[in-house]
Amino acid sequence: MKERHFIGVFDSGMGGLSVLQSLLELLPGESFHYFADSAWCPYGNRSTEEIIARADAITTHFLAGGAKLVVVACNTATAEAIDHLRSHYPVPFVGIEPAIKQAAYHTASGKVGVLATRNTIQGRLFRETSARYASGKDIMIQVGEGLVEVVEEGRIETPAAMALLKRYITPMIEAGVDQVVLGCTHYPFLIPAIQRIVPPDVVIHDPSPAVARQTAAVLKSNNLEAVTGTPVLHQAETTGNREQLLGMIQHLGLDISDVTFSSV
Ligand code: DGL
């Protein structure tokens, strides 16, 4: 059997790089293999069957390469496919979901805003987490229609992107929201723009650091941590435009030079 040596991280596109950043910071001794499924992006409006089929294809590809753990760095794919993945593959999976619990705990006004994709919001995970941790709080939910595309296409700092964000977030602020939960891994790249819209005391929640901590815990409990001194090697691939992924990786200053196109 092939030696299992790297952590696979995937998203519908480049959004999961926000999670990869936290993983690289917390786990410098681990090797990561990032998969951007940009040809299928956005997942947010796709059917459950399509998302599961993509999650299957990417996981099979990771396992054939020697993945020891897979991080589903996509709220939508976590909501739609993580139960399926956990019951079909012999490696641990770490997922991501909107940081409702944290936001509900910290809110002083009792009002929490959630910006996410339609599939994430409609999923069982989101309903259960909200019911368990945010009952009694006023949750304002907003689908971030078009925001994934803004990030994928590198249109972050444009007036059109700002107008979309204002349309989604201003009503939350006017309603007294003091916590904004980013329920999509593409959205942390919009934080500087969001900060220009919200008052300084509004807290913006990105769950990426918590996902990295959970990954560290799962590695440890499964005895999968990299042996000290093992060479670290990162790779990235995309079903979309290689130059765009490379550009984003360079823009973020990530140390990944092996960036390829994938036909998975
Ligand atoms: N980054 C994905 C997420 O966290 C985007 C989903 C999509 O492609 O719609 O949900």
Side-chain angles (χ1 to χ4, degrees):
M1 195 180 81
K2 198 167 182 118
E3 195 198 337
R4 305 222 160 266
H5 56 96
F6 69 85
I7 297 173
V9 181
F10 79 90
D11 177 44
S12 64
M14 297 194 279
L17 290 172
S18 62
V19 179
L20 183 63
Q21 273 183 310
S22 295
L23 288 164
L24 288 167
E25 253 170 55
L26 189 71
L27 299 165
E30 298 290 343
S31 294
F32 292 93
H33 186 154
Y34 185 82
F35 193 103
D37 202 13
S38 294
W40 297 81
C41 188
Y43 282 178
N45 301 324
R46 291 191 180 276
S47 68
T48 303
E49 292 71 25
E50 275 180 303
I51 296 171
I52 287 180
R54 291 310 297 156
D56 270 334
I58 297 163
T59 301
T60 303
H61 172 65
F62 276 156
L63 295 194
K68 60 182 178 179
L69 180 151
V70 175
V71 177
V72 183
C74 175
N75 293 262
T76 312
T78 299
E80 299 281 16
I82 203 157
D83 293 344
H84 166 87
L85 294 173
R86 285 189 172 133
S87 63
H88 283 79
Y89 298 95
V91 293
F93 288 85
V94 175
I96 185 164
E97 58 177 314
I100 287 279
K101 180 180 174 184
Q102 207 185 348
Y105 180 77
H106 287 288
T107 180
S109 68
K111 296 190 168 96
V112 171
V114 179
L115 194 60
T117 69
R118 192 175 307 283
N119 278 356
T120 296
I121 286 164
Q122 288 173 350
R124 180 183 57 82
L125 255 184
F126 183 74
R127 273 201 313 277
E128 286 179 2
T129 307
S130 303
R132 185 169 324 143
Y133 298 110
S135 66
K137 307 291 180 206
D138 198 352
I139 308 290
M140 274 188 82
I141 296 169
Q142 174 65 53
V143 174
E145 202 72 61
L147 293 178
V148 167
E149 291 86 341
V150 159
V151 174
E152 282 294 304
E153 293 158 16
R155 293 186 279 112
I156 292 173
E157 289 295 334
T158 58
M162 203 61 186
L164 265 187
L165 285 170
K166 277 194 181 137
R167 170 139 62 91
Y168 297 151
I169 291 174
T170 308
M172 295 181 184
I173 302 306
E174 284 172 356
V177 155
D178 64 354
Q179 316 283 314
V180 175
V181 173
L182 302 183
C184 170
T185 54
H186 281 73
Y187 300 169
F189 297 122
L190 298 165
I191 288 176
I194 295 172
Q195 277 168 335
R196 295 204 288 276
I197 298 169
V198 303
D201 55 337
V202 169
V203 181
I204 301 168
H205 294 270
D206 165 16
S208 300
V211 171
R213 288 194 297 276
Q214 174 66 5
T215 303
V218 173
L219 281 175
K220 197 170 166 46
S221 63
N222 286 275
N223 211 10
L224 288 171
E225 292 160 301
V227 175
T228 312
T230 308
V232 170
L233 197 68
H234 307 308
Q235 292 178 34
E237 56 186 316
T238 176
T239 52
N241 184 316
R242 178 192 171 271
E243 302 312 315
Q244 244 166 7
L245 178 60
L246 183 62
M248 188 66 154
I249 284 171
Q250 286 171 343
H251 171 73
L252 297 173
L254 305 179
D255 180 22
I256 310 175
S257 50
D258 185 353
V259 181
T260 52
F261 170 75
S262 167
S263 56
V264 161

